[in-house]
Amino acid sequence: MPEPELIDHAGLDSAVYLRIYLTGVKIFVPIAFLVWAILVPVNFTNSTLELASKIANVTSSDIDKFSISNVPLRSQRFWGHVLLAYAITFWACYVLLKEYEKVALMRLQFLASEKRSPNQFTVLVRNVPPDPDESVSELVEHFFLVNHPNHYLTHQVVYNANKLATLVKKKKKLQNWLVYYNNKYSRDPSKRPFMKTGFLGLWGNRVDAIDHHGSEIEKLSKEIAAEREKVANDPKSIMPAAFVSFKTRWGAAVCAQTQQSRDPTIWLTDWAPEPRDVYWENLAIPYVSLTVRKLIIGVAFFFLTFFFMIPIAFVQSLASLEGMEKAAPFLKPVVEKKFIKSVIQGFLPGIVLKLFLIFLPTILMIMSKFEGFISLSSLERRSASRYYLFNFVNVFLGSIIAGSAFEQLDSFIHQSPSEIPKTIGVAIPMKATFFITYIMVDGWAGIAGEILMLKPLIIYHLKNFFLVKTEKDREEAMDPGSLGFNTGEPRIQFYFLLGFVYATVTPAILPFIIIFFGLAYVVFRHQIINVYNQEYESAAAFWPDVHGRILTALVISQVLLMGLLSTKKAALSTPFLIALPVLTIWFHMFCKGRFESAFVKYPLQEAMMKDTLERAREPGINMKGYLQSSYIHPVFKASVDDDEYEEENSENWEKESVIVPTKRQSRRNTPVPSRVSGASSPSLPEAIQEHPKP
């Protein structure tokens, strides 16, 4: 499937996500050829580790002989590592520059050709100042009629409908059970189904299941009606925020990207997310509390990251049983068994580490939700950035520091303090063996698991056994979900980090990383085309984060190489590396200034061109009818009088609008709406098809 067709089918987010894997292949394949041709002979043709193992009892493996650890102190060969560090930096920056340029162009082309959607015309306004004489709705209308008289069209205030949403969800669950019991009764009319009202139906009064659920649904319907009335009429349920829609994209762009008041803390405007991208629960959070929430989560994340070091250090103690044997001789009988030794030393550390990290994405997503982000895309981006930090501190630094200290414990005990930095310098490259097994366990096996879809299969069967009661339940249980950016992207970034750090230190790791990138690209391309549903479309808004994290990994690798060479007493060659982080940071600032605006701003010129073209093609379009119900809370759409609302809306539409259909294809490719918002982003012809003429 060519890339333009892939974008039509799965959206720009999916296509650009695949480009991250391609970027890894483009960067590391030439680097691998270079370092294997130059550095491997430079490292291998020494005997430093053999002498060290005889004199100082330093543990090492055959792979370590390919690493920088095998080069003797004060050697002139370190100039080769310095020159290749420059070559790697320049090549990586060149590839990233071309990719940033390409993705920015793809984004602008996508936005220019994108089908009409509500978020193109809508702005989210927050921190509306209180007024004793006017309601929030009246205040918003008056403000925008005065300050945007030629472009303001309509608005939808934001309600705190979280309690109502809980009641509606509870009612749906009860209705599901009622369908299940009715089906059960219809199969055997001679026997009425009974149930117990206690916890999980294990105890309590024995009642008729159909009558009980019918009466409970009736009670809930009354509660929902009362709560709806309260939400609609109680001023406390109306938040100081609103979705404001404009007649043109140009009007929306001007409002979203300018300051609305002389007081910069009120009338705050930003682009509204797609209706299916909105995380409705967080719209009920007062804007003033967001700063406090960010501080709380920042502190919580700090403690989560550093307290996780304890189990990570324990895991790393399993990484070298030979090192443990020196500190604890009673383990010698276990270590000497070849099969046990190979399994424990090779795969157990990586598997246990993976198990420790299995619940981490869920914890980080809960933290992001508490922080108050209002769209699924921003929630996933924040979770991804935290996951990357966590991986860097715990999996990377934790593995090197804890593992090295334990592995060289015997040497540390018998050495003077001044010798310890040298031991660390030798030990850091030796963790390459652990990371190679980690790549195989997490990367290779993870990708194999992705194509087999083992986790969704197990979850489906568990749901099918315990939760599925109706055909609708089974359909929901079979939903494969969407591409998990918050878990997948940090994993990719971790392999970029390993590749850059070990390219000049232990080149033997690079083939494993290249195989991961190539295999992952093929597998995820298949999954995006054939398996996953697209949950939202951000038009590749995540690329600046991806670019920044790759450059961060590059700077980390340069600093670590400087530290490593300083322990090797390479006094002449080490200072030449100081320029590399400076050049890389300058390159990042250049890219930020040159390309980032394409990802955070919408050019007025583009907006005007799109509006002009649309007016020429569809002169009689009724924008108000199209936009006025786009940002209604899903629980109002899902309420009992939903049919009446749709009928009334359809009649109004037919009276007001003149339809001029176009031949352009919709960008919405999957019928599945967002699991969180329950909404989708229809284009105009799709919206019309939902309300056909009688």
Side-chain angles (χ1 to χ4, degrees):
M1 184 181 283
E3 194 167 61
E5 196 179 328
L6 180 67
I7 292 170
D8 285 341
H9 172 74
L12 186 64
D13 281 345
S14 301
V16 171
Y17 181 82
L18 287 176
R19 288 193 77 89
I20 308 175
Y21 292 109
L22 272 184
T23 303
V25 173
K26 287 177 185 176
I27 288 175
F28 288 115
V29 168
I31 288 174
F33 278 111
L34 195 63
V35 296
W36 273 83
I38 298 172
L39 281 192
V40 169
V42 167
N43 294 337
F44 190 72
T45 53
N46 292 283
S47 56
T48 307
L49 289 176
E50 287 180 25
L51 295 170
S53 62
K54 291 174 186 175
I55 298 166
N57 291 325
V58 174
T59 58
S60 65
S61 66
D62 291 336
I63 288 175
D64 296 323
K65 291 173 185 175
F66 292 97
S67 77
I68 199 171
S69 302
N70 206 27
V71 181
L73 301 178
R74 300 185 182 88
S75 173
Q76 292 299 311
R77 296 188 180 205
F78 289 123
W79 284 106
H81 299 84
V82 172
L83 290 173
L84 276 178
Y86 271 90
I88 289 165
T89 299
F90 287 137
W91 173 248
C93 288
Y94 173 77
V95 172
L96 287 172
L97 179 69
K98 291 297 177 186
E99 284 298 312
Y100 214 150
E101 197 174 338
K102 174 69 175 171
V103 173
L105 183 64
M106 286 169 68
R107 176 179 164 88
L108 289 172
Q109 287 174 343
F110 178 80
L111 293 174
S113 62
E114 190 180 24
K115 195 70 180 174
R116 182 191 298 113
S117 60
N119 54 296
Q120 297 169 1
F121 299 88
T122 306
V123 168
L124 176 61
V125 183
R126 305 183 81 174
N127 234 24
V128 176
D131 191 301
D133 302 317
E134 289 187 320
S135 66
V136 172
S137 182
E138 291 169 336
L139 193 61
V140 168
E141 186 175 23
H142 291 171
F143 181 86
F144 283 95
L145 280 172
V146 169
N147 296 291
H148 298 265
N150 300 322
H151 300 282
Y152 168 75
L153 184 64
T154 184
H155 73 277
Q156 175 64 54
V157 292
V158 174
Y159 295 98
N160 182 357
N162 289 351
K163 186 180 176 185
L164 179 60
T166 306
L167 292 172
V168 169
K169 192 176 176 183
K170 189 176 176 184
K171 182 183 174 184
K172 280 183 179 177
K173 191 178 175 184
L174 287 173
Q175 284 172 331
N176 224 17
W177 276 104
L178 183 60
V179 170
Y180 167 70
Y181 283 119
N182 275 325
N183 290 344
K184 192 176 179 182
Y185 181 59
S186 65
R187 284 194 293 269
D188 185 8
S190 62
K191 189 178 178 183
R192 291 281 290 186
F194 283 86
M195 61 171 283
K196 291 182 179 179
T197 56
F199 178 71
L200 293 176
L202 297 175
W203 57 73
N205 298 326
R206 194 166 180 268
V207 293
D208 185 294
I210 295 173
D211 293 342
H212 174 73
H213 281 93
S215 62
E216 286 295 312
I217 288 167
E218 197 176 330
K219 282 182 199 172
L220 265 179
S221 297
K222 290 176 183 175
E223 280 185 56
I224 288 168
E227 184 63 25
R228 283 191 76 234
E229 192 72 24
K230 181 186 171 187
V231 168
N233 299 320
D234 184 5
K236 291 180 181 176
S237 297
I238 299 172
M239 304 305 297
F243 290 101
V244 179
S245 296
F246 293 83
K247 296 173 184 175
T248 61
R249 294 173 184 83
W250 190 90
V254 169
C255 181
Q257 296 167 180
T258 54
Q259 185 173 311
Q260 304 302 310
S261 166
R262 66 173 64 181
D263 183 350
T265 63
I266 59 173
W267 296 106
L268 303 173
T269 56
D270 201 358
W271 284 105
E274 282 185 304
R276 61 178 174 169
D277 191 19
V278 177
Y279 187 70
W280 293 95
E281 286 180 34
N282 280 1
L283 284 172
I285 298 171
Y287 187 82
V288 290
S289 70
L290 293 182
T291 309
V292 178
R293 284 169 173 261
K294 283 179 183 176
L295 179 64
I296 292 168
I297 291 301
V299 173
F301 178 67
F302 175 83
F303 282 106
L304 173 71
T305 303
F306 286 94
F307 275 104
F308 217 85
M309 274 282 201
I310 298 165
I312 295 284
F314 171 72
V315 169
Q316 294 316 309
S317 69
L318 299 172
S320 174
L321 289 179
E322 289 167 335
M324 284 182 71
E325 185 188 327
K326 291 177 182 176
F330 60 88
L331 290 171
K332 194 171 182 178
V334 179
V335 173
E336 283 177 350
K337 292 182 180 178
K338 192 174 181 182
F339 174 75
I340 294 173
K341 176 183 172 182
S342 60
V343 170
I344 291 177
Q345 199 169 12
F347 288 100
L348 188 63
I351 291 168
V352 175
L353 183 58
K354 185 74 177 164
L355 290 173
F356 270 118
L357 298 174
I358 205 164
F359 297 108
L360 185 65
T362 308
I363 296 166
L364 294 179
M365 183 57 80
I366 290 167
M367 292 170 83
S368 297
K369 286 176 179 176
F370 180 82
E371 208 170 337
F373 291 97
I374 56 152
S375 66
L376 301 178
S377 52
S378 56
L379 282 170
E380 290 201 346
R381 287 201 297 273
R382 176 50 67 96
S383 296
S385 64
R386 289 223 168 96
Y387 200 167
Y388 175 71
L389 275 173
F390 188 93
N391 269 345
F392 172 66
V393 173
N394 283 293
V395 182
F396 183 71
L397 290 182
S399 298
I400 288 173
I401 295 166
S404 298
F406 204 93
E407 197 164 286
Q408 308 303 336
L409 186 60
D410 189 56
S411 298
F412 285 156
I413 291 168
H414 298 100
Q415 280 179 348
S416 64
S418 63
E419 294 292 306
I420 291 176
K422 295 176 192 173
T423 310
I424 293 175
V426 174
I428 286 175
M430 290 184 186
K431 293 312 294 180
T433 312
F434 166 76
F435 283 121
I436 287 171
T437 59
Y438 182 80
I439 291 165
M440 288 193 285
V441 169
D442 178 71
W444 294 8
I447 296 302
E450 175 66 37
I451 198 72
L452 291 171
M453 298 291 282
L454 286 175
K455 183 181 169 186
L457 183 70
I458 293 165
I459 290 171
Y460 164 71
H461 282 293
L462 288 172
K463 283 182 176 178
N464 197 31
F465 187 77
F466 292 108
L467 301 174
V468 169
K469 301 287 179 263
T470 64
E471 206 55 44
K472 187 183 175 187
D473 281 348
R474 186 168 281 105
E475 282 178 20
E476 288 177 1
M478 288 178 71
D479 178 23
S482 60
L483 191 68
F485 178 81
N486 59 313
T487 54
E489 194 268 348
R491 182 167 68 170
I492 308 170
Q493 294 292 351
F494 187 66
Y495 293 119
F496 273 108
L497 177 66
L498 290 181
F500 286 133
V501 167
Y502 281 102
T504 52
V505 174
T506 309
I509 204 171
L510 287 180
F512 295 90
I513 290 173
I514 291 166
I515 290 169
F516 164 77
F517 278 122
L519 188 62
Y521 173 76
V522 173
V523 168
F524 275 101
R525 187 178 174 84
H526 169 270
Q527 302 297 82
I528 283 167
I529 292 170
N530 299 311
V531 179
Y532 288 128
N533 295 309
Q534 187 191 9
E535 199 168 7
Y536 60 80
E537 178 60 69
S538 70
F542 56 79
W543 188 260
D545 294 339
V546 171
H547 177 86
R549 285 197 271 272
I550 295 174
L551 286 177
T552 303
L554 194 55
V555 171
I556 289 166
S557 70
Q558 293 158 357
V559 171
L560 288 179
L561 183 61
M562 273 195 283
L564 183 56
L565 288 182
S566 67
T567 64
K568 292 284 192 177
K569 297 184 179 178
L572 291 174
S573 54
T574 306
F576 283 89
L577 288 171
I578 294 171
L580 278 182
V582 176
L583 288 171
T584 309
I585 292 165
W586 172 84
F587 173 75
H588 174 63
M589 292 169 68
F590 167 77
C591 289
K592 190 180 174 73
R594 174 68 182 83
F595 300 114
E596 194 173 298
S597 61
F599 294 85
V600 293
K601 293 175 183 174
Y602 187 46
L604 294 181
Q605 183 186 23
E606 295 284 323
M608 182 59 78
M609 284 167 58
K610 210 163 165 59
D611 288 332
T612 306
L613 190 63
E614 193 172 77
R615 278 196 298 271
R617 288 181 175 176
E618 304 169 70
I621 187 169
N622 172 26
M623 289 304 299
K624 191 168 186 177
Y626 171 56
L627 292 170
Q628 64 185 359
S629 62
S630 296
Y631 285 93
I632 290 176
H633 198 294
V635 292
F636 294 116
K637 290 183 177 179
S639 60
V640 271
D641 58 346
D642 190 51
D643 292 337
E644 294 173 14
Y645 171 81
E646 291 290 343
E647 190 180 337
E648 181 186 338
N649 195 45
S650 178
E651 288 172 6
N652 291 341
W653 180 275
E654 294 303 330
K655 287 175 189 172
E656 294 174 8
S657 63
V658 179
I659 306 307
V660 183
T662 67
K663 293 181 181 178
R664 289 175 293 169
Q665 296 297 311
S666 168
R667 67 180 168 75
R668 199 183 68 153
N669 62 297
T670 55
V672 182
S674 166
R675 287 172 294 172
V676 177
S677 70
S680 59
S681 298
S683 57
L684 183 63
E686 288 173 319
I688 295 157
Q689 285 165 17
E690 290 171 12
H691 309 293
K693 286 188 179 182

